[in-house]
Amino acid sequence: MFNDKEVTVIFVLGGPGAGKGTQCEKLVADFNFCHLSAGDLLRAEQQREGSKEGELIRNYIKEGKIVPSYVTLKLLENAMNESINVNKNSRFLIDGFPRQMDQAEAFDAQVCNSKFALFLDCPEKTMEDRLAIRSKTSGREDDNIESIRKRFKTFIQTSMPVIEYYKSLGKCIQVDCTPAIDEVYQTIKAIVHEKIV
Ligand code: C5P
Ligand code: MG
């Protein structure tokens, strides 16, 4: 368990294609954050030779379902330890996690009490348009219309309750992500600046 006086965690949440990765990259350029994308960590583990969970991860991702929490939690914890011990960076943007209530509870109780959650709110149509563009170059097995529909459904059914949970704790900051990337970023940058610096 990390001490939340020494370790800062901001969750970046939102549906597929809302712009989580894009906005996190911009925050990394302006603030000293370690950006950990749960989806990226899962894809890397899926590719890792000798991984016991590779096949399981592949199936869940293709179906747009949430990989069992113990897998993702362990990957995040390992990456956090490496950042803290090797890179001496203990400020985290955790992107695409928690996506399911048990993940939120386990993280807050076992890993670290998060500072707040940034919810990138975006209409489904806009997310679908963005994913259609991304699918041309992403090489992701789940950037096809069938998987995308499943991911939208999982987002509404399984991940929105997490966002509602952080709202009920007064720990959720919602940002409208319909505008252009840089306009959205100015809003996000001001929020993070006020909360962190
Ligand atoms: O966030 P991203 O779109 O990269 O996530 C891709 C997929 O990875 C999700 O659709 C889901 O199958 C899996 N994932 C997960 N649990 C998380 C984050 C991602 O199972 N916390
Ligand atoms: Mg992403």
Side-chain angles (χ1 to χ4, degrees):
M1 179 95 188
F2 300 115
N3 183 337
D4 61 23
K5 298 213 167 41
E6 289 154 18
V7 173
T8 302
V9 169
I10 300 175
F11 293 131
V12 181
L13 307 176
K20 301 184 292 295
T22 305
Q23 296 296 336
C24 283
E25 274 174 32
K26 290 185 166 287
L27 286 169
V28 168
D30 280 335
F31 303 88
N32 186 29
F33 278 114
C34 169
H35 170 212
L36 297 176
S37 154
D40 287 351
L41 289 170
L42 287 166
R43 282 183 288 273
E45 179 63 17
Q46 181 198 309
Q47 301 292 340
R48 188 174 65 82
E49 192 138 350
S51 167
K52 281 200 294 236
E53 328 283 2
E55 210 36 49
L56 172 129
I57 294 172
R58 169 172 289 113
N59 289 329
Y60 273 83
I61 287 185
K62 201 168 131 277
E63 291 303 315
K65 291 198 301 197
I66 306 302
V67 174
S69 298
Y70 73 92
V71 176
T72 316
L73 215 54
K74 195 74 222 150
L75 293 172
L76 275 172
E77 240 178 315
N78 290 346
M80 286 177 75
N81 269 317
E82 185 175 325
S83 174
I84 292 167
N85 297 326
V86 181
N87 303 324
K88 311 290 175 209
N89 188 350
S90 52
R91 296 209 303 186
F92 296 95
L93 288 175
I94 299 192
D95 149 4
F97 179 98
R99 284 268 237 290
Q100 188 167 279
M101 269 315 290
D102 68 321
Q103 298 186 337
E105 285 158 356
F107 191 94
D108 283 350
Q110 294 165 29
V111 182
C112 182
N113 190 11
S114 59
K115 199 165 176 71
F116 65 97
L118 205 56
F119 169 37
L120 308 194
D121 183 31
C122 196
E124 202 166 287
K125 177 75 177 79
T126 309
M127 296 196 285
E128 198 176 315
D129 292 346
R130 288 179 186 167
L131 289 174
I133 296 168
R134 186 175 81 183
S135 70
K136 291 180 188 150
T137 52
S138 73
R140 277 178 51 162
E141 285 178 50
D142 61 348
D143 275 349
N144 57 79
I145 193 66
E146 205 177 315
S147 295
I148 287 169
R149 292 266 147 79
K150 291 177 178 169
R151 289 157 67 201
F152 283 152
K153 196 164 159 214
T154 300
F155 175 66
I156 300 292
Q157 290 181 343
T158 311
S159 306
M160 270 314 286
V162 174
I163 288 161
E164 296 301 335
Y165 167 69
Y166 286 120
K167 276 189 189 165
S168 76
L169 295 179
K171 276 173 66 164
C172 178
I173 303 178
Q174 183 163 338
V175 176
D176 174 19
C177 287
T178 327
I181 292 171
D182 286 319
E183 198 179 317
V184 172
Y185 182 61
Q186 291 315 312
T187 307
I188 290 177
K189 186 178 175 182
I191 292 166
V192 171
H193 187 267
E194 192 207 307
K195 286 271 192 187
I196 296 293
V197 183

